[in-house]
Amino acid sequence: DPKIIQKPKYLVAVTGSEKILICEQYLGHNAMYWYRQSAKKPLEFMFSYSYQKLMDNQTASSRFQPQSSKKNHLDLQITALKPDDSATYFCASSQLGGDTQYFGPGTRLLVL
Amino acid sequence: AQSVTQPDARVTVSEGASLQLRCKYSYSGTPYLFWYVQYPRQGLQLLLKYYSGDPVVQGVNGFEAEFSKSNSSFHLRKASVHWSDSAVYFCVLSAGTGYQNFYFGKGTSLTVIP
């Protein structure tokens, strides 16, 4: 059974619209992360959350907002979508005090 | 600032040949180093990790990596590759435990020719 679920697997959006990417982890971890992988750049760290609180934000744009309704959920809301937002977004989790992050399968977003 | 460099964007080897994927890191402290693999249309899977101790660490599927503090390197090796090893390999640096950011290299795309 998958331990980190990301939904949807693929997502097509129009410029200017808003989408929410879902991430749920069932590893019992208390830290969660979002990363972005685009064609032009290596995997980039976006956010880290611990116990549902934002720990670090390396995303310049406020259009990207993480949302944590439960301790094992960390969704990513993206508003006013642009074609440059097209990328694969990976969710990851770890145990605080642990050194390894475990990654979900990713959501591939295409903005037209 | 932390950074990871994987100088080879693409590597092609024949099945059964040995493999080395290069990784150099930049970090002033004691690094946590990882190799992850991404198979086509899949997420990232951990191959191995290093923090301290024996500089040669063993991972899954016959992979190993060697840490060199003097060279700031963490190269990945495999004695004999299989076609199923074709994937993208990422070298990753972390500053420590907890909610530390992961710094990724650009990845090396490995193609194994049967």
Side-chain angles (χ1 to χ4, degrees):
Chain A
D1 290 336
K3 301 299 185 183
I4 301 181
I5 297 171
Q6 289 190 246
K7 295 183 287 190
K9 193 172 184 179
Y10 300 100
L11 186 56
V12 180
V14 296
T15 297
S17 67
E18 172 183 315
K19 294 294 181 185
I20 295 179
L21 281 56
I22 305 294
C23 177
E24 305 169 8
Q25 59 89 5
Y26 297 93
L27 294 165
H29 291 161
N30 45 31
M32 296 184 70
Y33 314 81
W34 277 103
Y35 291 83
R36 173 171 53 195
Q37 182 182 38
S38 64
K40 300 176 182 178
K41 298 179 181 179
L43 264 151
E44 299 175 284
F45 169 82
M46 299 179 72
F47 300 98
S48 61
Y49 261 65
S50 179
Y51 294 106
Q52 297 182 264
K53 294 182 180 178
L54 179 67
M55 303 307 295
D56 194 4
N57 178 357
Q58 297 285 337
T59 302
S61 174
S62 59
R63 296 187 298 107
F64 294 84
Q65 290 293 327
Q67 301 172 341
S68 182
S69 59
K70 300 179 185 179
K71 65 178 181 180
N72 67 325
H73 285 221
L74 186 64
D75 301 335
L76 181 63
Q77 179 186 41
I78 313 174
T79 58
L81 279 161
K82 303 177 180 180
D84 276 352
D85 297 331
S86 298
T88 300
Y89 292 82
F90 288 100
C91 175
S93 70
S94 73
Q95 192 68 8
L96 270 183
D99 56 17
T100 302
Q101 294 183 17
Y102 297 87
F103 287 78
T107 292
R108 296 183 72 176
L109 172 65
L110 176 62
V111 183
L112 302 175
Chain B
Q2 299 92 329
S3 68
V4 176
T5 301
Q6 293 180 248
D8 304 309
R10 298 183 184 278
V11 170
T12 301
V13 297
S14 298
E15 193 168 28
S18 62
L19 171 72
Q20 175 171 280
L21 301 182
R22 296 182 292 165
C23 172
K24 300 271 284 184
Y25 69 90
S26 175
Y27 179 55
S28 57
T30 301
Y32 285 73
L33 294 161
F34 307 79
W35 277 97
Y36 281 81
V37 59
Q38 184 179 27
Y39 296 103
R41 294 172 294 283
Q42 295 187 31
L44 287 85
Q45 301 174 28
L46 179 68
L47 273 181
L48 49 79
K49 63 182 179 181
Y50 173 82
Y51 171 58
S52 64
D54 189 336
V56 179
V57 291
Q58 304 296 322
V60 298
N61 298 332
F63 285 94
E64 67 175 29
E66 183 167 7
F67 169 73
S68 171
K69 186 175 182 179
S70 60
N71 293 325
S72 298
S73 67
F74 189 56
H75 300 328
L76 181 70
R77 302 190 298 236
K78 188 171 184 178
S80 176
V81 296
H82 187 264
W83 65 265
S84 60
D85 292 326
S86 296
V88 180
Y89 292 79
F90 293 95
C91 184
V92 181
L93 166 70
S94 171
T97 60
Y99 49 86
Q100 296 289 347
N101 304 352
F102 268 22
Y103 296 88
F104 282 78
K106 291 186 178 180
T108 297
S109 178
L110 173 66
T111 301
V112 179
I113 302 172

